Amino acid sequence: MSQDKETGKAFDFRLFRRVFQHTRPYSITFYGVAFIAILLSAFSVFTPLIIGDVVDNAITNRDSERLLFLVMAMLGVLIGEVTCQLLFTYYANLLGESVIKDIRIRLFEKIMGFKMTYFDNSSIGILVTRAVADMQRIGEIFSQGFFVIVADLLKMLVVAIIMLVMNWKLALIVFAILPLILYATRLFQKAMKSAFIEVRAQVSNLNSFVQERIAGMKIVQLFNREEIEKEKFREINEKHQNAWLRTVWYNSIFFAVAELLGAVSIGLIVWFGGLQNVNGINAEEYGDIFTFILFSGMLFRPLRHIADKFNTLQMGMVAANRVFNILDTESRISNEGTLEKESMKGYIKFSDVRFGYIEDEEVLHGISFEVKAGETIAIVGSTGAGKSTIINLLNRFYEINSGTILIDDINIQEYSLESLRSHIAVVLQDVFLFADTIANNISLKDETIDVNDIEAAAKQIGVHEFISSLPGAYEYNVKERGTMLSSGQRQLIAFLRAYVSNPSVLVLDEATSSIDTYSEQLIQQATEKITEGRTSIIIAHRLATIKKADKILVMDAGQIVENGTHKELLEKGGYYSDLYEAQFLAEEEVA
């Protein structure tokens, strides 16, 4: 995957607007949360005012009735503030979760539409991080970031206005400290922006490393790589730790400075207010001192709070930037074809097809061949000759550089991708099974295929007995990647999956080189059954398949060097004859 582009700005308003565009379907919730934020700022200033009134009037005048009234008023304010806080927390989180649900669906749909080239160059661990961890960070923009910051800013604004109205001299003393905190906050924001970019990068690297090593644990253990991988993990983990410690260090410095400046502000209020009273100022101003001490906390504490929540907002914006980079990636197979066909005859024709996975590095050099409807062809050749590439191009996993590929005399680009792929079934050499039941792995949860259809198909190709012998039979959970089954058993499941889809064209990467004899016999039986009466392209690894093919294509270095029947090619005494003697004849002798 290409390196994500990170904005160097402390705050990217363009990105911010883009995130908030996703709140449009939830505008009622959005404005509701904003209104509650306003109420919270209003409720928060009542308590200091009431306390000031208690000191100046109820206590000084020893008015018990007024004291009771003010205490009850404080209770009412507390209930209102708690209620608003509850509603604010719930609906801000609801908005955040709704937004990331929509973005996550868009992201998953985008990823599913990418060309195979994208996945060839991408780390699965990083993609998982984008779809899971980064999404939660985006949700926190709403639940713990933006609205909390807005509520705190409103609170600060209301407090500042009331302070000026009550006692402008004390207010100016408090305000004199504000520029210092604002400057410290600005420096803190810039430093945290850089730190969080590094944090997200290290989180992605850690996820990618762990995902790959767990998936390849068998190789790690087979080649005694435990200590080496442990050391690599220690290095990556240390970088991850250092990235987080950097954010902790910035937080430690900022919050210590903010606390110090807040304490200085309170000291100045007490000193100046006390000095006024000592010099004969009216006693009722004692209430102002108490009120201003509380207000100064409400003015400075939100600044510290805002800085903390700005961290959350920054992390959410960094995550959003990474997710949007994927959403903006143009790596889709063109799906402008509109042709939908209920059935295909299965006539296939490649005409001068050229293709390369990397620009200017061709893998196929002008491939041309045709497969008649119902015909079975085998493709043989050394590793890297381009056999599997033909399969990938037929399904339009990749776009060809030039030439044409026809099915039933129609360019495959004229078919919709859904229609094209629905008529082609592929059994790959590396069988992938989901962590689900055998039945679901066969039907892929297609509602048109029920268990009875699966059982009937299994009996037809001779694998019903094998499945029935498993605990739970068709409801047996094969676990992640089908680890509960042998390679031969996974192959049989893949054959049955292809067969129940009733394809017009069948493509088999016949991987039988590393399975037991019994599974091989079942696969040969299954192969004969599912290729019967339909167009089949088989990358051949076994002699039996080659001999029964209607035609054999011999590939070398991205070109078809020979073609014909098994007998015809042997009589030529060329490339195929040499390959047969070196590889397939040895099998025959062993048999």
Side-chain angles (χ1 to χ4, degrees), residues 34-100:
F35 177 70
I36 296 172
I38 295 173
L39 289 180
L40 274 174
S41 64
F43 275 118
S44 63
V45 301
F46 285 142
T47 299
L49 292 173
I50 293 173
I51 291 176
D53 197 3
V54 168
V55 172
D56 284 338
N57 297 305
I59 295 178
T60 302
N61 298 328
R62 298 182 180 181
D63 188 342
S64 58
E65 290 185 3
R66 187 171 184 82
L67 178 63
L68 178 62
F69 171 78
L70 292 174
V71 169
M72 296 303 295
M74 287 180 63
L75 178 62
V77 169
L78 178 63
I79 293 173
E81 190 172 5
V82 169
T83 301
C84 286
Q85 188 63 56
L86 186 151
L87 294 173
F88 178 83
T89 302
Y90 177 79
Y91 284 105
N93 277 276
L94 175 63
L95 179 63
E97 291 300 319
S98 299
V99 167
I100 63 174

Side-chain angles (χ1 to χ4, degrees), residues 167-230:
N167 190 321
W168 65 271
K169 294 180 181 179
L170 287 177
L172 290 179
I173 289 175
V174 176
F175 294 164
I177 306 298
L178 272 178
L180 296 175
I181 292 186
L182 290 173
Y183 180 69
T185 302
R186 182 62 175 172
L187 293 178
F188 177 68
Q189 290 171 354
K190 288 184 176 181
M192 291 303 288
K193 171 71 174 183
S194 172
F196 282 137
I197 288 175
E198 178 64 18
V199 165
R200 298 314 302 162
Q202 294 304 327
V203 167
S204 295
N205 290 339
L206 185 63
N207 286 345
S208 179
F209 183 89
V210 172
Q211 190 272 337
E212 286 184 349
R213 269 54 183 185
I214 291 177
M217 188 57 67
K218 185 180 291 185
I219 299 299
V220 171
Q221 294 181 356
L222 279 173
F223 289 90
N224 296 316
R225 298 277 300 180
E226 291 92 339
E227 290 301 321
I228 296 174
E229 298 300 335
K230 190 187 300 181

Side-chain angles (χ1 to χ4, degrees), residues 50 54 125 190 213 246 251 281 288 296 304 354 385 389 393-394 403 469 476 542 550:
I50 293 173
V54 168
K190 288 184 176 181
R213 269 54 183 185
R246 184 180 167 194
N251 274 293
I281 304 297
D288 287 354
S296 68
R304 299 195 298 273
R354 295 181 178 274
T389 301
L393 297 181
L394 185 63
S469 66
Y476 180 66
R542 291 290 181 173
D550 297 308

Side-chain angles (χ1 to χ4, degrees), residues 511-524:
T512 58
S513 57
S514 60
I515 62 176
D516 59 89
T517 304
Y518 176 69
S519 295
E520 181 182 348
Q521 291 173 349
L522 288 178
I523 288 174
Q524 292 294 350

Side-chain angles (χ1 to χ4, degrees), residues 6-20:
E6 303 292 358
T7 172
K9 304 174 185 177
F11 193 81
D12 190 335
F13 285 97
R14 179 194 60 79
L15 182 62
F16 184 73
R17 287 195 300 271
R18 184 172 181 184
V19 171
F20 270 74

